[in-house]
Amino acid sequence: MIEQPVSESATATDEWLSLTLTVNGQTQHVRARTQHTLLDVLRDRVGLIDTREGCGVGMCGACTVLVDNRIVSGCLMLAAQADGRNVVTVEGLAPAQGELHPIQEAFIEHTGFQCSYCTPGFIVAAKALLDETPEADADTARAYLAGNLCRCGSYVKILDAVMDARERVAGVDGTAAGGTNREAQISTGDGDGARTPVAG
Amino acid sequence: MIDARERVTGQVPYVMDVALPGMLHVKLLRSTAAHAKIVHIDASRARALPGVAAVLTGADIVEKTDVFPYFGPVFRDQPALAIGKVRFVGEPVAAVAAADPDIAQDALDLIEVDYEDLPAVFDALEAFEPGSPLVHEEPPRLGQTFADVIIHAQSGTNICNSFRLRKGDVEDGFARSTHVFEDEFSSPPVQHVPLETHVAVASFTGDHLTIWSSSQIPYQVRSQLSEMFHLPASSVRVIVLTLGGGYGAKCYPKIEPITAIMAKVTGKPVRLHLSREEEFITVTKHGVTIRMKTGLDERGKILARKATCWFNTGAYADIGPRLIKNGGYGTGGPHAIDNVWVDSYAIYTNIPPAGAFRGYGISQAAWAYETQMDMIAERLGMDPLELRRINLLQDGDTVMTGEPIRDTHFRELLDEGAARVGWDHGDWQNTRTLVDGGRKARAKGLSCIIKGTVTPSTSTAAAKLNDDGTLQVLTSSVEMGQGLQTAMAFIAADAMALPLDRVSISSPDTEFTPYDQQTSSSRTTQAMGGAIVGAIDEIKLKLRALASEQLEISPDDLEFSNGRIQPKGTPDRGLDYGEVVRRDRAGNIQGSGTFQTKGGLDPETGLGIGSVHWHQAAGAAEVEVDLETGHVKLLGYHAGVYSGRTINPVQAELQTEGNVAFGVGQALYEELLFDNGQLQNGNLGDYMIASIEDMPGNLSVNVLENPESDEIHGIGETSLPPVMPAIGNAVYRATGVRIRDLPITPEKILRGLSEIRDGAPAIDGDLGAAAESSERAHEEVLA
């Protein structure tokens, strides 16, 4: 049940863009309207289902992805801004087909989810956290992950999973994403930086 | 969870991931008026836009289709699109289907609607008054509904439904009381905020409708769509995938009717997927005002309680007519009270419809009675823990609906909570500790609640044992993150004596999976679990007979063990289940099971069997309040909930921790703010839900089992209602400020502190006389 690309019937005002981006290691040539977001492109053009919209305004973190190793809310970045860039979703974290990233293994071990709609975003955010701060303690992790919301409230076990993942990741990290850089983020600015997912 | 791998890779499919060839996208134009006549709709420009397949209005449904346009689980009062008038800001007025979502969105902008405003009413108490503007002029049409629903509608008013409870003689109880207190409490409307918003995909093949829906109740969706389209139930197929959260929001049809209608009129598959902003106005938790009068004897034993509840059910009834029953009788609380009198109303207003919400009326009731319990303790100079102990239900007491209760654990749960937060019974008056040089105050609060589950109710299941020895369970219960499929797999594997990996649990598909009443009300583990065990019992009976013939041994001498049926104690002589099926050429062995509870309440007295059994929980909170900013930090929380028998301890813990997160949000932040019916904060930028940083640093959970009981008590909601009053009571003990209206915001605390300062000496080391005397001022001591 993969999302099919939508048709390109023209509306009077829209302009179509041709974009090239790398998604989970694969080059994708896509067409997108100017108002389309990176999230739109990932779902409707590339055909990924793992990244999902929760709020559309960058507040819930469900659509968190990495763009050039920076943590980004897919709903806030325009598709055009992703042109030529390297995008990694939760699907791209695994070191190889059929394998799981240590963070994913830790989430399974601790059952760090209920409905799991927020899980891809949490795992990608945890990846960014541990890339930036490999020794992150629980307080650091809480502050960092405050931009990801889990309405089922699995937070206790999510934190357990992330703390466990820190130990697992300390050994090998085999993802294509490499390190992430949170310093380059642009805050959407509600005065609570830790709570605010960002567009890169 | 059994599909954990799919969940951490993002591959578990939700309805939003369903795409059909040629599928169109539906968008809804929504009312900008709270209450207005629709004078004219001009959709001609939208219809002319290239890529637009159809534009439909409520009038079009009436004039151009034979669809019955109204739906609702009790009253058929909600039109798929507004007909004649709109009743709330955000009500769907027109629908567009187009080749892609952008075109559909563009088309909405081209539709012009002329409204003629009507007087509107937003507040339930105002709408309750005779002469207030009528949200529905005509009495709503009552449709086929659930067995437990009691109807007392009052046509010509905004009273959508009412419920009354008359246990004992409440006036006599008050006459014999030494102390009588009357207080008023309110809970605001809030929203469920499932991260997956409502989504549906519909497709007609001839007269056969298939609809994928993010619904908690597929069989309700089926019966309502079958009624609307005049189709036999067998011609409506409802498929549900895993849900991205439900919490009650996805009970009963919401967007399915208009989605199916657009599929019908376009002849194409269509998808409707709501935006977050639309989700906020699709269904809400009932706001309510509760006036509660409680009479006690000189020792603090409650002799009488009288409560009136004005639930704001919004513009359409949804399940409000039933919820006010639970919220109404719920005001009796977990207390043994001989005399209880309740009037509970669902009141129509011009705000978005309210419906089922985790806690189902009990959160609102518990906020009232557990806040009042602490206020009474304060007024009587009693330990709030002791006041509760005196009144808690014990085995053999009658609950508020009149039936005797058994298997009570309130005292155990409450005492454990008190112990966990270090509630000092000997020194309970020493209520708070000041820290940060007196800037912050820390204190503790307690609460204890009772909750029923829908009664009577019915679940059915089917199962087939395949010829490779695997078991397939067919169920219409919905996985929404609560771990339904895992819990059912545990139950089935245990009952069939099979390894877990040889059991599969279906998702709902009404074409194949048998009836289930609803995945809600914390009923499914018990009810569907019971139905599955029944189905497996039938399979085992058949399997035993077949194996008996094949092994030439008496059926009574056979046992089931780890996927094999074998002579007792001799595994090497046994047969794999699959081998038995193959030898018999049975193809597979099938079984079916039904779980049904009996009960219900008398329509006039509200007495009867309110719940097949009673769910029990307690909460204990420790808060730190910044006395300069009013900011509340939850330092610690203990959640205790009675499960009888726990099926999946990890999932039970997760749900209980989730209830704490849900409760923290409702205690401290969540409130839908309306300005003349227009929602002001319907997005996740302005509407705060709990994040990981809001969780208490010191959180403990006890899912209490009874080794002597085999009975499963649902725990999905039970530990939620205690959270808000436990926090509110702790805030009072920290500040002397009694908040009666949720949420407990810094503004309210600062205002309260300021009032205390103005009226009396500022509170200092212990709770000041000011707070105590202001509480006492409400006491009405009878002559």
Side-chain angles (χ1 to χ4, degrees):
Chain A
M1 278 178 292
I2 298 297
E3 180 83 26
Q4 295 188 333
V6 293
S7 67
E8 293 188 4
S9 28
T11 63
T13 55
D14 286 318
E15 186 186 340
W16 287 90
L17 308 168
S18 291
L19 308 173
T20 301
L21 57 164
T22 305
V23 180
N24 296 334
Q26 296 202 324
T27 304
Q28 301 281 349
H29 302 287
V30 297
R31 284 162 59 75
R33 290 199 176 103
T34 49
Q35 77 268 30
H36 283 158
T37 64
L38 172 58
L39 176 60
D40 294 332
V41 163
L42 291 175
R43 287 193 63 85
D44 300 340
R45 302 283 151 182
V46 179
L48 299 182
I49 65 164
D50 63 338
T51 306
R52 297 181 169 89
E53 181 170 304
C55 68
V57 293
M59 294 307 295
C60 78
C63 63
T64 302
V65 295
L66 301 176
V67 177
D68 290 344
N69 302 327
R70 292 178 196 156
I71 181 170
V72 162
S73 291
C75 70
L76 286 187
M77 178 181 256
L78 288 172
Q81 293 176 289
D83 192 25
R85 301 174 79 172
N86 182 29
V87 180
V88 175
T89 73
V90 76
E91 273 191 62
L93 294 185
Q97 181 104 35
E99 293 182 23
L100 294 176
H101 188 277
I103 300 174
Q104 293 171 313
E105 289 172 351
F107 269 72
I108 292 178
E109 175 76 22
H110 294 272
T111 319
F113 45 81
Q114 291 180 62
C115 81
S116 70
Y117 196 91
C118 68
T119 307
F122 260 106
I123 289 175
V124 172
K127 166 82 167 98
L129 163 71
L130 295 175
D131 284 344
E132 290 170 38
T133 318
E135 296 85 31
D137 62 11
D139 284 344
T140 307
R142 262 194 292 265
Y144 196 95
L145 297 173
N148 290 73
L149 298 175
C150 170
R151 186 54 157 170
C152 299
S154 311
Y155 294 126
V156 174
K157 289 174 174 45
I158 289 172
L159 189 63
D160 289 348
V162 173
M163 289 295 93
D164 181 9
R166 181 187 61 181
E167 307 306 319
R168 294 172 189 246
V169 169
V172 184
D173 190 333
T175 71
T180 58
N181 178 7
R182 198 176 174 93
E183 287 170 15
Q185 292 170 2
I186 303 161
S187 172
T188 53
D190 65 353
D192 182 2
R195 183 67 196 258
T196 309
V198 292
Chain B
M1 286 172 94
I2 50 178
D3 55 355
R5 195 182 176 91
E6 288 69 37
R7 289 177 181 273
V8 300
T9 52
Q11 297 305 305
V12 59
Y14 302 84
V15 170
M16 65 185 290
D17 303 319
V18 174
L20 302 176
M23 184 175 77
L24 303 174
H25 296 263
V26 174
K27 297 275 183 189
L28 301 175
L29 182 72
R30 292 174 177 275
S31 167
T32 53
H35 195 196
K37 253 167 74 176
I38 300 170
V39 179
H40 181 67
I41 300 180
D42 181 358
S44 54
R45 289 174 61 214
R47 290 195 171 98
L49 188 70
V52 169
V55 180
L56 209 68
T57 66
D60 293 334
I61 298 176
V62 173
E63 291 159 14
K64 298 175 185 169
T65 77
D66 64 352
V67 174
F68 174 65
Y70 295 95
F71 65 99
V74 181
F75 295 114
R76 309 295 191 256
D77 62 351
Q78 186 162 4
L81 293 171
I83 296 169
K85 73 171 188 173
V86 292
R87 293 181 176 85
F88 69 96
V89 176
E91 178 166 9
V93 171
V96 174
D100 84 35
D102 300 329
I103 295 172
Q105 190 67 46
D106 287 349
L108 294 185
D109 296 338
L110 302 177
I111 302 172
E112 288 171 30
V113 185
D114 292 336
Y115 296 106
E116 182 184 313
D117 281 332
L118 298 167
V121 61
F122 310 109
D123 179 80
L125 287 160
E126 279 175 34
F128 185 74
E129 292 302 319
S132 66
L134 287 181
V135 179
H136 295 262
E137 288 84 7
E138 303 293 322
R141 306 163 191 79
L142 181 62
Q144 188 187 333
T145 187
F146 296 99
D148 66 297
V149 175
I150 296 168
I151 299 297
H152 288 292
Q154 299 181 23
S155 60
T157 74
N158 286 315
I159 300 172
C160 162
N161 196 22
S162 59
F163 167 79
R164 66 180 78 109
L165 177 66
R166 302 288 185 264
K167 180 191 183 193
D169 182 341
V170 80
E171 292 310 326
D172 178 61
F174 286 127
R176 290 187 291 108
S177 295
T178 313
H179 309 280
V180 177
F181 303 98
E182 185 164 12
D183 302 287
E184 204 169 283
F185 305 92
S186 75
S187 300
V190 304
Q191 220 270 335
H192 315 64
V193 193
L195 278 193
E196 174 207 43
T197 56
H198 280 79
V199 54
V201 174
S203 173
F204 268 91
T205 307
D207 274 340
H208 190 279
L209 167 64
T210 302
I211 184 161
W212 287 257
S213 170
S214 61
S215 171
Q216 292 176 235
I217 314 188
Y219 269 84
Q220 255 289 309
V221 173
R222 185 176 83 155
S223 63
Q224 296 256 315
L225 291 177
S226 134
E227 181 179 295
M228 295 180 80
F229 288 93
H230 318 289
L231 290 172
S234 53
S235 293
V236 178
R237 178 181 182 187
V238 181
I239 301 173
V240 177
L241 308 178
T242 197
L243 266 56
Y247 325 113
K250 294 166 182 170
C251 291
Y252 318 108
K254 300 284 188 290
I255 64 167
E256 294 89 346
I258 187 58
T259 309
I261 290 169
M262 293 308 280
K264 180 79 178 170
V265 299
T266 60
K268 296 272 183 63
V270 302
R271 180 202 286 162
L272 173 57
H273 186 190
L274 298 188
S275 70
R276 176 59 53 195
E277 290 72 19
E278 291 179 294
E279 180 70 24
F280 268 103
I281 50 172
T282 296
V283 60
T284 68
K285 174 189 174 187
H286 285 78
V288 68
T289 299
I290 297 178
R291 189 170 297 153
M292 182 168 282
K293 186 173 171 184
T294 302
L296 308 91
D297 69 12
E298 69 288 350
R299 294 179 308 111
K301 176 90 181 81
I302 302 175
L303 300 182
R305 172 164 292 159
K306 185 172 186 176
T308 309
C309 314
W310 295 271
F311 284 93
N312 189 336
T313 211
Y316 297 104
D318 197 290
I319 202 63
R322 180 205 241 173
L323 182 139
I324 56 145
K325 164 170 64 75
N326 302 50
Y329 76 58
T331 55
H335 313 126
I337 312 176
D338 290 335
N339 306 292
V340 184
W341 183 106
V342 179
D343 273 356
S344 183
Y345 301 97
I347 301 164
Y348 284 127
T349 64
N350 295 112
I351 65 171
F357 186 100
R358 195 176 196 175
Y360 204 68
I362 299 301
S363 285
Q364 295 96 319
W367 169 249
Y369 65 71
E370 279 302 84
T371 304
Q372 198 193 34
M373 279 304 262
D374 262 44
M375 293 167 68
I376 291 171
E378 181 70 28
R379 292 153 172 164
L380 299 182
M382 286 183 72
D383 179 354
L385 175 60
E386 189 57 29
L387 180 65
R388 287 185 173 82
R389 283 174 172 168
I390 291 171
N391 288 289
L392 284 178
L393 288 159
Q394 299 176 34
D395 284 6
D397 287 336
T398 61
V399 297
M400 70 299 268
T401 48
E403 74 259 38
I405 189 168
R406 60 192 163 77
D407 203 14
T408 55
H409 299 271
F410 298 106
R411 173 74 185 259
E412 191 179 349
L413 291 164
L414 181 66
D415 281 357
E416 192 203 10
R420 290 281 192 127
V421 294
W423 186 278
D424 190 337
H425 184 47
D427 188 27
W428 66 270
Q429 282 169 301
N430 193 4
T431 52
R432 69 172 187 172
T433 313
L434 292 174
V435 296
D436 279 8
R439 173 170 172 164
K440 294 175 179 169
R442 294 179 174 177
K444 295 147 189 168
L446 305 174
S447 70
C448 188
I449 71 100
I450 185 170
K451 184 182 177 302
T453 181
V454 58
T455 303
S457 82
T458 302
S459 290
T460 72
K464 48 186 181 179
L465 185 67
N466 297 315
D467 67 0
D468 65 351
T470 56
L471 181 79
Q472 278 175 281
V473 174
L474 302 178
T475 163
S476 296
S477 294
V478 174
E479 173 62 67
M480 49 190 172
Q482 83 280 45
L484 175 276
Q485 293 197 333
T486 305
M488 294 304 109
F490 282 8
I491 287 172
D494 182 57
M496 194 66 238
L498 263 179
L500 190 64
D501 62 4
R502 306 192 79 186
V503 172
S504 69
I505 308 293
S506 76
S507 290
D509 179 342
T510 59
E511 195 92 334
F512 306 106
T513 57
Y515 177 83
D516 184 27
Q517 181 170 314
Q518 51 199 120
T519 307
S520 67
S521 201
S522 304
R523 64 181 290 278
T524 304
T525 308
Q526 186 201 27
M528 187 51 74
I532 289 172
V533 169
I536 290 172
D537 283 346
E538 189 182 327
I539 291 175
K540 285 164 84 177
L541 198 66
K542 295 175 180 171
L543 187 64
R544 193 184 283 273
L546 292 178
S548 165
E549 283 174 28
Q550 293 170 9
L551 293 170
E552 296 181 334
I553 185 171
S554 159
D556 295 340
D557 293 332
L558 290 168
E559 65 180 4
F560 301 92
S561 174
N562 200 31
R564 291 169 69 80
I565 183 163
Q566 61 201 30
K568 282 178 183 162
T570 51
D572 52 322
R573 285 197 52 217
L575 295 172
D576 281 343
Y577 295 162
E579 175 79 21
V580 178
V581 178
R582 291 194 301 274
R583 284 190 186 190
D584 191 68
R585 293 192 294 108
N588 59 29
I589 301 178
Q590 301 177 62
S592 64
T594 297
F595 181 94
Q596 207 168 35
T597 60
K598 294 186 167 59
L601 299 177
D602 181 273
E604 300 309 316
T605 64
L607 299 175
I609 305 294
S611 179
V612 63
H613 58 200
W614 292 91
H615 297 166
Q616 308 164 37
E622 182 175 16
V623 302
E624 179 181 278
V625 185
D626 187 320
L627 300 173
E628 289 185 19
T629 66
H631 176 76
V632 177
K633 184 176 179 185
L634 186 61
L635 297 176
Y637 191 84
H638 175 78
V641 57
Y642 179 60
S643 74
R645 178 164 63 98
T646 304
I647 300 304
N648 182 346
V650 173
Q651 215 69 39
E653 252 180 49
L654 270 164
Q655 285 206 71
T656 307
E657 291 164 2
N659 274 327
V660 177
F662 233 71
V664 170
Q666 288 175 65
L668 301 178
Y669 310 127
E670 294 186 43
E671 177 174 22
L672 296 175
L673 298 167
F674 293 94
D675 180 7
N676 283 312
Q678 169 73 55
L679 183 59
Q680 301 296 297
N681 58 344
N683 63 76
L684 283 181
D686 295 318
Y687 185 94
M688 297 290 281
I689 67 174
S691 83
I692 196 167
E693 288 200 303
D694 296 305
M695 294 302 279
N698 184 9
L699 173 63
S700 58
V701 162
N702 182 20
V703 181
L704 179 69
E705 293 192 271
N706 178 0
E708 289 165 17
S709 173
D710 209 29
E711 194 171 7
I712 299 166
H713 281 241
I715 49 88
E717 305 164 89
T718 321
S719 53
L720 171 60
V723 179
M724 292 77 89
I727 292 175
N729 290 337
V731 166
Y732 172 75
R733 291 165 68 82
T735 62
V737 177
R738 175 57 71 185
I739 308 289
R740 295 172 176 79
D741 308 304
L742 283 173
I744 304 160
T745 60
E747 291 82 358
K748 291 177 190 171
I749 291 172
L750 290 179
R751 196 181 310 129
L753 286 169
S754 157
E755 283 167 10
I756 291 170
R757 270 195 298 273
D758 290 349
I763 52 168
D764 221 328
D766 60 74
L767 280 182
E772 192 178 325
S773 64
S774 73
E775 296 273 59
R776 286 219 165 111
H778 292 267
E779 181 172 357
E780 170 197 350
V781 181
L782 296 187

